[in-house]
Amino acid sequence: METAQSQQQAAPGAFTAFARFVLCGGGVGLASSFAVAALASWLPWVLANALITVVSTLLATELHARFTFGAGGRATWRQHAQSAGSAAAAYVVTCTAMLALQKMVAAPGAVLEQLVYLSASGLAGIARFAVLRLVVFARNRSQSAATVRTVRPLNAAVARASAPTDPAALCRAA
């Protein structure tokens, strides 16, 4: 019972989880933006973004499992797969934004590219937070909450079973 209650208490509220998400995911995303820019000097931008997205998604999912959402340990393969789905959607958003920039501006500078990339990543990140919190890491919280709800009625049933049933004994106890 103690473990289930401590796991339930370890799951942070929405504001705390979002702040941690911004810290972890934003930090990984910021580092990724520089990594994409560096790698894009050797590879096509779309390929560089894909490679960095894969690596950063693996890292961010581990950080979110351990720190952001209080899942209580390493991310499972299922959580990695679900997180990869939301990262794929974010990849499409960043690629679309960068392709639109290249269509609108013939030779965008590095600062403008970073601004567009980080803006698209930020918008996609807000959607990713919702998906990760409500879908990917929600199962752990609901399982621990169900465990706590199951344990409490059991304790009440044990207390009722051990309580005296004789009305005279109840009067003496009071």
Side-chain angles (χ1 to χ4, degrees), residues 74-96:
R74 293 186 52 127
T76 64
W77 284 108
R78 180 179 185 201
Q79 290 168 330
H80 274 291
Q82 290 173 330
S83 182
S86 69
Y91 172 77
V92 169
V93 169
T94 57
C95 283
T96 301

Side-chain angles (χ1 to χ4, degrees), residues 3-29:
T3 304
Q5 285 178 340
S6 64
Q7 283 180 349
Q8 186 182 26
Q9 292 169 352
F15 181 77
T16 301
F18 186 73
R20 291 176 180 180
F21 179 82
V22 169
L23 180 67
C24 293
V28 170

Side-chain angles (χ1 to χ4, degrees), residues 26-87:
V28 170
L30 189 59
S32 295
S33 72
F34 290 110
V36 167
L39 197 55
S41 64
W42 294 316
L43 301 170
W45 187 90
V46 173
L47 181 58
N49 190 24
L51 292 172
I52 297 302
T53 297
V54 169
V55 172
S56 65
T57 300
L58 290 170
L59 175 61
T61 301
E62 284 298 326
L63 289 172
H64 294 322
R66 294 174 188 218
F67 181 68
T68 303
F69 298 108
R74 293 186 52 127
T76 64
W77 284 108
R78 180 179 185 201
Q79 290 168 330
H80 274 291
Q82 290 173 330
S83 182
S86 69

Side-chain angles (χ1 to χ4, degrees), residues 73-148:
R74 293 186 52 127
T76 64
W77 284 108
R78 180 179 185 201
Q79 290 168 330
H80 274 291
Q82 290 173 330
S83 182
S86 69
Y91 172 77
V92 169
V93 169
T94 57
C95 283
T96 301
M98 293 303 289
L99 291 173
L101 173 65
Q102 291 172 359
K103 293 284 185 193
M104 291 190 287
V105 180
V111 173
L112 182 57
E113 284 182 340
Q114 286 292 79
L115 180 66
V116 169
Y117 178 81
L118 290 174
S119 297
S121 292
L123 290 173
I126 292 169
R128 260 192 105 216
F129 171 77
V131 169
L132 293 176
R133 180 168 169 81
L134 299 174
V135 177
V136 177
F137 294 104
R139 188 168 187 225
N140 290 340
R141 286 194 307 276
S142 61
Q143 280 180 341
S144 64
T147 303
V148 170

